[in-house]
Amino acid sequence: YGDERKEKSHFFSLFELPGNERWYRVDYGYTTLLVLDTNSPFEPGTDQYDWIRNELRSPRKRFTLVSFHSPPYTSGNHGWSHPDGTPGEWAIDQGQRFLVPLFEMYGVDIVFNGHDHLYERSLKNGIYYLVTGGGGAPLYRAGQYKNPYQQITKSINHYVRVDVESTNIHLTAIDLAGEIVDEFTVTLKDAVVEQHQRRISKTISEDLSIGAIDKKTGQVDLHLKNTLTF
């Protein structure tokens, strides 16, 4: 919606969101959440692509979660492909081409999507893709189209509970009767631990100053400014 166009959905009027309200970042506890708008252009060269790439390059919390509407991988209504195998829908095709490589390069942990009205968990190159579209709209049939990364899918109303701890995230999909549909655990990546260790070492080395040796006592003064935020 341009500035001069009247908003039709009332979405931006009803919700107070960070940033430009279309794509934004929230750091909370052990997690960094990046929210994207796949209804707006996000291919290389766009503002949104530059933003997500810069955010993934920047220091983040222990776990990185990404959320946007159209799932890169789904077997539901929107998972159809052209005869050459490319995804039929623009946002899904562009997501596979441009977002997934960034996620894999910079160690995203979980991607949350909607669009298809079902539950589906996929795993590709260490990243979980979760379609959680069972919030109340008419359900779609699961498994209509091939998804080579699918681990489980069900056409069912549900919600997903996300429990975050210091070294893992446990996710539980729960149906209307309170029964568990699916559950799995995402553990802290070794690469993330190494990144934090390097960041701590760099911070300490930059903020450590060593004074001159006292010739009488043989002692030396060390001054360390603690700038760590965790």
Side-chain angles (χ1 to χ4, degrees):
Y1 312 99
D3 292 338
E4 62 280 349
R5 292 178 60 188
K6 184 178 180 181
E7 181 190 343
K8 296 180 180 179
S9 70
H10 304 294
F11 178 80
F12 297 104
S13 300
L14 293 172
F15 295 95
E16 189 72 26
L17 302 171
N20 67 3
E21 296 193 295
R22 293 182 180 276
W23 50 87
Y24 52 89
R25 170 175 174 166
V26 176
D27 291 300
Y28 183 78
Y30 297 118
T31 63
T32 292
L33 172 64
L34 302 174
V35 177
L36 303 179
D37 176 13
T38 51
N39 290 322
S40 296
F42 58 90
E43 67 272 15
T46 62
D47 290 343
Q48 185 168 197
Y49 182 89
D50 291 342
W51 180 85
I52 183 64
R53 183 179 58 183
N54 290 336
E55 291 300 327
L56 290 172
R57 286 175 172 176
S58 69
R60 289 169 277 133
K61 300 291 186 175
R62 298 183 183 186
F63 298 97
T64 300
L65 316 180
V66 182
S67 178
F68 50 94
H69 186 67
S70 297
Y73 306 107
T74 176
S75 67
N77 283 20
H78 299 289
W80 64 279
S81 299
H82 293 293
D84 63 359
T86 58
E89 294 194 2
W90 175 86
I92 293 178
D93 177 67
Q94 300 289 285
Q96 289 186 14
R97 290 174 184 267
F98 305 126
L99 295 182
V100 168
L102 288 178
F103 299 159
E104 295 180 356
M105 183 180 300
Y106 295 107
V108 167
D109 294 286
I110 311 169
V111 177
F112 295 93
N113 303 114
H115 201 33
D116 267 327
H117 304 168
L118 46 76
Y119 174 81
E120 186 160 1
R121 165 164 56 96
S122 302
L123 177 63
K124 180 178 182 289
N125 292 337
I127 302 174
Y128 285 96
Y129 294 86
L130 214 61
V131 179
T132 172
L139 295 171
Y140 296 167
R141 183 166 60 87
Q144 293 190 62
Y145 299 100
K146 184 178 179 181
N147 173 10
Y149 309 108
Q150 178 198 106
Q151 293 188 313
I152 181 176
T153 183
K154 291 187 177 183
S155 178
I156 191 170
N157 292 117
H158 69 279
Y159 66 93
V160 175
R161 189 179 68 207
V162 181
D163 296 304
V164 181
E165 298 183 0
S166 59
T167 58
N168 66 79
I169 297 180
H170 189 74
L171 297 97
T172 310
I174 302 170
D175 66 14
L176 295 181
E179 300 295 325
I180 294 176
V181 176
D182 181 35
E183 59 181 331
F184 63 102
T185 299
V186 179
T187 58
L188 186 63
K189 289 183 171 68
D190 291 339
V192 174
V193 176
E194 294 172 0
Q195 289 172 2
H196 278 281
Q197 289 174 338
R198 289 196 298 270
R199 192 178 307 152
I200 292 171
S201 298
K202 183 175 183 292
T203 301
I204 292 176
S205 64
E206 290 176 347
D207 293 312
L208 176 65
S209 61
I210 304 176
I213 298 177
D214 188 318
K215 295 180 179 180
K216 294 182 179 179
T217 63
Q219 294 180 338
V220 62
D221 287 333
L222 299 178
H223 297 276
L224 174 62
K225 181 177 68 173
N226 181 13
T227 60
L228 302 178
T229 57
F230 52 89

